[in-house]
Amino acid sequence: MMKGYAMLSTGKTGWIQKEKPVCGPKDAIVRPLAVSPCTSDVHTVWEGALGDRHNMILGHEGCGVVVEVGAAVKDFKPGDRIMVAAITPDWDSIEAQEGYAMHSGGMLAGWKFSNFKDGVFGEYFHVNDADGNLAHLPDNVTVEEACMLSDMVPTGFHGAELADIQFGDTVLVVGIGPVGLMSVAAANMRGASRIIAVGTRQVCIDAAKGYGATDFISYKDGPLDEQVLKLTNGKGVDKAIVAGGGVETFEPVINALKPGGKIGNVNYLGGGDYINIPRVGWGVGMGHKQINGGLMPGGRARIERLARLIQYGKLDVNPLLTHKFEGFDHIEEALFLMKDKPRDLIKPVVVIER
Ligand code: NDP
Ligand code: ZN
């Protein structure tokens, strides 16, 4: 048996005992070295965003050490220190062959941890398709940094990919929690000129400046479209990345886009049934304004690439790590921090072992 921190049912969490996961031929069983709770865990438990789940161990951000591999696994063995993305697709699926591995097995079904199976907040966790989804943890990447490579970096960077950021673009980033901050960093690396960031927590504003944001507005100071149009002399922005807010955020963002503009959405819309597209703001149907929303791609190649940005000093994720805990038993405290979002929080991390 093993211990894990679980969603007991919608709105309820607690420690449970569960059978240790079983290793299939292509799988690995991993003991976590560090884990981090995510806003998505909060949507899952307290907003019922995935529907009801019973006694499901939470967590999808972590790194660890391999304790067991299946007979078909080639590149990993017990004792290896590994990184793993929050999204662990089946790389031999049709969806993966068509370029959408994150939807392998159905829409969003590449997201397995704390969704279709137990997550990483257990004494052990299961990784499917180990050769496709694990990556060796480089010596010069810390366990805390590796946790940020599970989700915050690949998701935030996917926002910049989905928005198709080009040199010189003026970019609006809605939401500068840890995901949006990584979108700011990615937009900056892709050559954005002006980056207008939306958020109110001072700690996030300071971090966003460090990652390349040039202007700041608050969603509490009036409609976003009005504020963005004022800042840009009525022209609007080339691209927008949405990493915060709710279904109501799209209307002002579409209005704030130039014709031909693109929105990259990585925000998990935890509530509400519909998104309103403003008819006039969308060019009465002919404004060439695109919305690309996507779950981040997981997988080994991507996590290795993104880790290289840390290894070679191009990206520092440490400004995200505002709250650090030592010891497995602190997972509960860290998750509740994520739920309550004190104003000095960006991201908590729990180090279990170095
Ligand atoms: P946070 O809650 O830390 O940050 C949210 C940001 O949005 C904050 O800057 C907040 O501002 C801002 N915000 C809140 N309300 C509004 C509003 N009405 N209008 C505009 N901005 C607003 O979240 P995270 O960075 O942790 O995560 C962001 C989203 O990404 C979450 O929904 C999460 O579930 C999702 N996600 C998606 C993944 C994917 O694969 N697509 C993976 C991981 C996460 P303030 O400063 O006031 O708090
Ligand atoms: Zn996450």
Side-chain angles (χ1 to χ4, degrees), residues 45-67:
V45 177
W46 286 281
E47 291 172 25
L50 300 173
D52 210 2
R53 294 284 193 281
H54 292 274
N55 299 335
M56 175 184 74
I57 296 179
L58 289 163
H60 52 260
E61 300 180 16
C63 61
V65 58
V66 174
V67 295

Side-chain angles (χ1 to χ4, degrees), residues 28-32 63-67 82 123-127 134:
I29 304 298
V30 176
R31 183 163 50 79
C63 61
V65 58
V66 174
V67 295
I82 59 86
E123 286 174 306
Y124 300 94
F125 64 85
H126 170 271
V127 180
L134 296 179

Side-chain angles (χ1 to χ4, degrees), residues 38-40 43 151 155 174-179 198-201 219 243-245 248 266-268 294-296 338 341:
C38 178
T39 305
S40 300
H43 291 307
D151 195 358
T155 297
V174 182
I176 46 170
V179 173
V198 181
T200 69
R201 280 177 274 160
Y219 58 93
E248 69 294 341
V266 287
N267 196 19
Y268 172 175
L295 179 67
M296 65 101 154
M338 211 55 189
K341 296 251 158 82

